[in-house]
Every structure is written in C-alpha cells, then in structure tokens.
Amino acid sequence: MEFKLALLAVKDVNISKKFYKELFNQNVILDLGRNVTFSGGFAIQEDFAWLTDLPGNSVIEKSNNMELYFEVDDFDEFIQRIHNYEKIEYVHQPKKHEWQQRVVRIYDPDYHIIEIGESMTVIARRYLSEGYSIEETSKIIQHPIEFVEKCK
C-alpha cells in the first residue's frame, strides 16, 4: 500500500485553487474540474459530500483538527504576502516558538488551518553563521546534531 495525498473538501474549487496558487506557489499537476491536485502533495475536492455519499451538513467547517504545513525561507516576505492578500483570517498572529522558529497560522477559504513556518534549515544556518557551534545550534533550535550538520 502507498499513501498518495491528503484531500481537502472545499466549497468552490476555483477560489481554493487561486488561493493555493497565488499565496503558496502551488502548481496544479492534475485538474479534473471539481478535483485538483497540487505539486505539494495534496488535493482539493468540491462537492465532497456528493462524492462520498455523505449528508451535506456532515461536512463541517472550522473543525480545527488538522492543518497543512508549509515552510518558507523568507518568513518576513511571506508575512508581507499575507498582508497584501485579500480576506485572510488568522488562527494566530506570527509568533516565535522556543525552538526559535517563527510561525503563523491562517485559515484557507474553507477554514482549513494552514501553518507557515520559517525554514528550520534557514534558522540553523543563521545560528551557525553567527558563530554558534553545531552542538550549541542543535540545543538552541531543539533539533538533532545530524540535522544541523546537514544544514552547513
């Protein structure tokens, strides 16, 4: 058995397709009309209740029980993109975790949570360039030494 992708139920496939293409640079690799697969390994599906023979009211919004996770090299530039995009609803404003990663969470047009985090590779490289050792960087960013070594 092989896992293929995650699928998000959406109300309007065209609105969601535009959102993921414009804000997240996702390329459409398969467009079947009501079903669109993106280069990032996930898909969106309009009329999910119809597809699955579920009652329409069983497909709920804003369940807050899963998220898509993206990393960006330039976190500040992405935050500016969000500010320039129309109608973004935040789960929370940008914040920094104890492992030094800046993140923000927003809702997509159908209220799926999207987390955007600063690349951990970029963070490791930043500490290394500031003169921290591999071991110190590993401790600060709470990632294994092997990860930090690969970031050099």
Side-chain angles (χ1 to χ4, degrees):
M1 183 179 304
E2 178 183 2
F3 175 77
K4 289 294 189 175
L5 54 78
L7 182 127
L8 302 175
V10 301
K11 288 181 185 170
D12 187 317
V13 74
N14 291 318
I15 290 172
S16 293
K17 183 168 45 172
K18 179 179 186 264
F19 176 84
Y20 285 105
K21 284 173 73 174
E22 290 180 358
L23 200 54
F24 294 92
N25 300 326
Q26 291 297 294
N27 295 315
V28 173
I29 59 172
L30 181 62
D31 190 336
L32 301 173
R34 293 186 281 186
N35 179 287
V36 174
T37 301
F38 293 104
S39 55
F42 68 99
I44 54 176
Q45 174 72 48
E46 190 174 305
D47 296 327
F48 188 71
W50 163 83
L51 178 70
T52 56
D53 293 325
L54 291 168
N57 64 356
S58 71
V59 180
I60 59 173
E61 284 187 350
K62 219 172 193 177
S63 62
N64 293 334
N65 63 1
M66 67 84 60
E67 69 180 17
L68 294 181
Y69 175 70
F70 293 87
E71 283 192 352
V72 294
D73 289 346
D74 189 338
F75 188 77
D76 295 322
E77 185 274 331
F78 188 81
I79 294 301
Q80 190 58 49
R81 281 173 90 179
I82 291 174
H83 289 308
N84 294 336
Y85 202 84
E86 59 187 66
K87 298 182 182 178
I88 294 293
E89 184 176 337
Y90 288 84
V91 176
H92 64 72
Q93 293 293 318
K95 66 180 182 179
K96 186 185 252 187
H97 288 298
E98 64 186 42
W99 51 91
Q100 305 308 305
Q101 183 186 39
R102 295 180 295 164
V103 301
V104 65
R105 286 183 176 87
I106 62 174
Y107 288 108
D108 79 357
D110 294 281
Y111 298 101
H112 302 105
I113 296 174
I114 311 297
E115 178 182 358
I116 305 93
E118 184 176 21
S119 164
M120 290 306 298
T121 299
V122 167
I123 297 166
R125 287 180 180 153
R126 181 181 315 129
Y127 279 95
L128 292 169
S129 72
E130 291 174 3
Y132 290 90
S133 69
I134 289 173
E135 293 76 15
E136 290 169 324
T137 299
S138 172
K139 186 174 180 178
I140 291 168
I141 70 169
Q142 300 177 15
H143 275 58
I145 288 173
E146 296 79 18
F147 172 83
V148 177
E149 287 173 336
K150 290 179 183 178
C151 294
K152 294 188 335 183

